[in-house]
Amino acid sequence: MKELIKKLTEAYGPSGYENDVMNMIKEEIKDYVDDLKIDKMGNLVALKQGKGNDRKKIMFAAHADEIGLMVTHIEKEGFLRFTNIGGINPYNLVGARIKLQSGQKGMVSHEHLDSMKDLKLEKMYMDIGSSSEEESKKIVSLGDIAVYDQKTQFIDGRIMGKAIDDRIGCAVLIETAKQVGEVDNDIFLVFTVQEEVGLRGGRTSAYSINPDLGIAVDVTRTGDTPGAKRMDVALGKGVAIKIKDSSLITSQKVKKLIIDTAERENIKYQLEVLERGGTDAGAINLAREGIPAGCLSLPCRYVHSYSEVVALEDVENTIKLAVKVAGNSQLFQE
Amino acid sequence: MELKDFITRISEATGVSGNEEEVGEIIQEAFRTLADDVYVDKLGNVIARKEGKKKSEAPPLMFAAHMDEIGFLVSKAEDGGFIRFEPLGGIDPRTLPGQEVVIKGREKIRGIIGAKPPHVQDAKEREQAIKMEKLFIDCGRSQEELNEIIQVGDFISFYQELTWLKENICAGKALDDRAGVAALSILLKELGNRSHDFDVIAVATVQEEVGLRGAITGSYHINPAVGIAIDVGFARRKGLEKERTLQSGAGPGISWGPHVHPQIFNKLKEIGERDEIPYQLEPVPFPSGTDTYAIQMSRCGVATGLISIPLAYMHTPVETINIKDIKRTGRLLASFCAEADEKFLEGLPCL
């Protein structure tokens, strides 16, 4: 699985350009599912057919896209100005190495500032080694998107790299497909597009699939680092079962279903109340007439930086819980 | 149920966004005596249907008021038996110290939000408003006792009894927007004596305070011809601009702006004039933070309107209303239903 995580996280795939990632996932998953297709928005939808009589539809969603930097202007000297695709903190960009879809590498720096408090994206630029506008124009065009260029590393049971948000969720769904075996209900494993720019793929795929239960698998913040904002989620304390974020208040019955499953199967979990941020679960919840939805979160430090960190142990617990939730024959007790 | 009793019960009931069951039960009970059919949809909206004379397949008229209120979630049970919390909805931390709350853990327990005594605050603390993350709830229990009852994610509601300041004027929590829900009950009651062509659907929506969520799924489900939200507007008090406020007790505000269909606006105004129901005009230039916006953008688009009941001290536990404005809202909307005929509905798409 480490190899899979490394491959997925190092791949290029900002919002709207998830193709490479989708192709990798397709290859990984194709032998384990009954149907596999790309929908109109670009979501990869895998179906594991249930064997039960009164089949319900359970949709799992993990987003394949990552944050990026979109080229908005090319300077006379060849430097590239950019805007953000997804939520980017300028402080995380200083000195970051980046790559474009073409494979072109570069790095990010900023104009001279008297105070770093003035650091804003409009004061920053990409340096791709070019020394003129003409030269740059041969390599990039406006609208091209760069992502972090970062190798993923494994240190003492921790995974460190870019785009762990949410390729780690993709890895969880792939492993779920491999491990779940025969199931009663239809299990849709959806690798969504454009989550970072507004839960877009999650919204349309939930409309199209119209499931009885939606479960997003995504990362969440932690409160376990020096001087961190208070949050009762920590690395290594298990899969985080989402109670609330800006996009979702998990309903009592979904909360019960997930917690009961974790308790029954003895899977290490923690409860998550996230102040800000949303996941595909929010979009699924509000599709059509409303769909019961929840989220299995992977505690992740330094979210949206080029060194996001998760614990391998938490990943394993998340897979276990996803497999068991998928394997439940009955969703809700009436 | 008498209006005053109903308002008292729904104001005092718990019903924080995402946890509206308790207030929803009371609303269902009241609506069952007034409507032909009452049920709860997938997100928890309480939906009451009053059948129209036409019994046709025509889309219904939808009226929405949200039943959720602002509140909190337990974010952390800290050493020493103190509870840290996360807001649900727009809460002003300056209104919190000294409030009583109810925590809905394995059982319901009471707590208070404490604050540092003024004597021991330093100069800086005295000058600055306290921040949410500095506040905590004290339930008078030890950490061990609390661990038996509370876990992260439990809902916390304000605890506040409704006070009648004067015959028609009351102050309490959650009147945003249970005042609107009370207006729905008047509407349904009035319709008992009036004939109307089309089905009327009254919806007490969930999760409005966190993003109009019940209205998004509710209007998809109902797919109405007309959608009117009943919410609260700022009542005029000292320190507020006259232009941005409504006068308490002077009738509901009929809103006007890009999210209001001109013919619905005109019709409501016309009824107010003719039936001598006092009303005020409320210009809302931007899509307002009410269910109206969610209904307007549902499916292929819905012709919408917005009624605002004047309410003072919004998002505090002493929200203050004049119940005359609730009764007037119900009567105004009942006449609207009685007069919304095929011709009126046919005219709606032509802007």
Side-chain angles (χ1 to χ4, degrees), chain B residues 303-324:
Chain B
T304 46
L306 171 63
I307 299 278
S308 300
I309 298 168
L311 174 142
Y313 320 119
M314 200 179 288
H315 284 203
T316 74
V318 291
E319 294 179 329
T320 302
I321 52 163
N322 185 322
I323 64 166
K324 278 195 205 164

Side-chain angles (χ1 to χ4, degrees), chain A residues 230 244 246 252 275 290, chain B residues 42 84 86 133 155 213:
Chain A
R230 188 189 303 128
K244 177 251 165 192
S246 325
Q252 310 300 302
E275 189 183 1
Chain B
K42 286 188 189 169
R84 299 288 189 174
E86 192 68 46
E133 55 267 28
F155 288 92
R213 295 184 194 158

Side-chain angles (χ1 to χ4, degrees), chain A residues 3-15 17-25 63-68 98-101 103 105 145-152 161-168 170 308:
Chain A
E3 207 176 303
L4 170 67
I5 293 171
K6 189 168 165 63
K7 201 165 80 173
L8 288 173
T9 49
E10 289 177 3
Y12 174 94
S15 309
Y17 296 81
E18 299 88 352
N19 267 357
D20 291 356
V21 183
M22 295 305 189
N23 287 333
M24 285 177 190
I25 296 171
H63 66 92
D65 64 319
E66 68 187 298
I67 54 171
I98 50 100
K99 62 180 174 191
L100 290 151
Q101 192 167 24
K105 307 275 176 114
I145 307 177
V147 301
Y148 293 129
D149 180 31
Q150 181 81 324
K151 294 281 177 236
T152 298
K162 76 158 183 78
I164 283 180
D165 174 7
D166 183 32
R167 306 275 162 72
I168 198 72
C170 297
E308 299 176 322

Side-chain angles (χ1 to χ4, degrees), chain B residues 223-243:
Chain B
N223 196 13
V226 168
I228 297 182
I230 303 119
D231 211 325
V232 293
F234 303 110
R236 202 161 295 152
R237 287 295 188 273
K238 279 195 186 307
L240 296 180
E241 289 167 55
K242 191 164 181 281
E243 294 75 21

Side-chain angles (χ1 to χ4, degrees), chain B residues 1 11 18 29 33 41 49 63 71-72 115 137 143 153 159 167 194 222 236 244 273 295-296 298 317 328 334 336 341:
Chain B
M1 214 182 307
S11 163
E29 182 192 323
T33 63
D41 77 359
R49 190 175 62 93
F63 298 88
F72 317 90
I137 294 168
Q143 200 184 339
Y159 177 86
E167 199 196 340
R194 315 258 326 234
I222 293 161
R236 202 161 295 152
R244 294 189 58 198
E273 291 294 334
I295 302 169
Q296 183 182 31
S298 183
R328 289 161 177 157
F336 178 87
D341 53 15

